[in-house]
Amino acid sequence: MAGCPMLINHLLPCGALTNTGSAFWQMISQQEKIKLLHFMRFVRLFDRRMVLWQRQGKIGTYAPVEGQEASQIGSALALNKLDWIFPSYREQGVAFTLGIPTTSIIQYWSGHIEGCKPPIGYRYVPPTVPIATQLPHAVGAAWSIKKRKEDAIAIAYFGDGATSEGDFHEALNFAGVFHLPVLFFCQNNGYAISVPFEKQSATKSVVDRAKAYEIDEYQVDGNDILAVYDVIKNARKKKRPALIEAMTYRTGAHTTADDASRYRCEEEVRVWLNRDPLYRYEQLCIKEGLLDEEQLTKEDEKMAIHLDQSMKEVEQKTPNLPSGLFNHVYYQLPNWLEKQQEEASEDVNNGSVHC
Ligand SMILES: Cc1ncc(C[n+]2csc(CCOP(=O)(O)OP(=O)(O)O)c2C)c(N)n1
Ligand SMILES: [Mg+2]
């Protein structure tokens, strides 16, 4: 397509198929290597099911994660139980890896408040939709970790678009000045909705900004799960502020409300499909003789059953009423909002709004 600003060179030159020299690869058992593949396959299956369910009207708008699984699963695996995690809205891969239940993730995308509640004992805060606002929150948590001398870090997940927000710069500055144990993990997927990275940044990469705040910087091939794991593990150990840029790509649309063909061409997407992180890891497992096709198929079947059951469970829950939108915002609702809440209830009662 003429005039298509292709992001084909957006990925770091990665050389080998996948980094088998990785400390992680050397460390884990054969069983764990296969489990990792199941994890990636599960997130992929979940993601595709969610897009279908959105089309069937079972859930609300959904932000697909396809193409970013290695960045998300690799980074989440490198975290410890006491770490504080501040996700954006696209972090389903992180949530699954940390053990957040499938029903909870579906509930989040169905507008149920329960989907925002992490299970007790998890330091996974509700996903943030306002871009970059979770970064100062992560800094606050890191400050508390430092004061309490906890053996933990805070990590904020965000996209390349978030780096144009004031919150991003304030957070990095504060973290640098106070030497806080916080990782700023940017998944640079090339776009902020339809805006390509080079149109919103004068610097060639996100990590270039780290120098200004005197914090550590890492740039990693975000489609290589082993490389991502190693980088996060290494950065985590230092308990210092760091900006990490995982170079990746979302092969789907920004959300189910977006038509990505309006701003990027087929050729660009094709190039990135050939760099698919799941395919890469799967090929590695095959090459290393780890893969049992029969076992994989059986696992896939189990996953599909689990997903359908989880969806059924969510559907059986009481639907979220529009009046619920007003809860959990104020300790005491102001009069004018109380009135709106009553009106929302009336709309449901008289049938003008369906749930
Ligand atoms: C403060 C704020 N401004 C604008 C938006 C609208 N918005 C939603 S997603 C998005 C793009 C974010 O891009 P990026 O940070 O790269 O994350 P990605 O969606 O690519 O994962 C924008 C501008 C928003 N949610 N919050
Ligand atoms: Mg982006």
Side-chain angles (χ1 to χ4, degrees), residues 253-274:
H254 170 71
T255 64
T256 45
D258 171 48
D259 173 5
S261 70
R262 300 281 293 267
Y263 54 85
R264 57 185 204 188
C265 59
E266 274 174 31
E267 198 188 334
E268 177 185 305
V269 180
R270 210 174 314 118
V271 168
W272 280 93
L273 285 172
N274 283 332

Side-chain angles (χ1 to χ4, degrees), residues 72-93:
Q72 298 205 357
I73 298 169
S75 59
L77 278 169
L79 301 177
N80 285 9
K81 191 79 187 162
L82 285 181
D83 294 343
W84 281 94
I85 296 112
F86 293 80
S88 89
Y89 45 81
R90 204 188 294 285
E91 262 67 76
Q92 291 78 258

Side-chain angles (χ1 to χ4, degrees), residues 2 6 9 19 24 36 49 82 108 114 127 141 149 152 171 183 185 199 211 227 229 264 297 309 341 347:
M6 292 212 286
N9 295 322
N19 177 13
F24 184 44
L36 199 58
R49 272 281 207 291
L82 285 181
Y108 171 78
E114 287 76 15
K149 299 190 170 50
L183 305 184
F185 184 68
K199 283 206 177 157
K211 290 175 191 71
Y229 175 90
R264 57 185 204 188
T297 315
Q309 272 171 353
Q341 187 175 33
D347 286 345

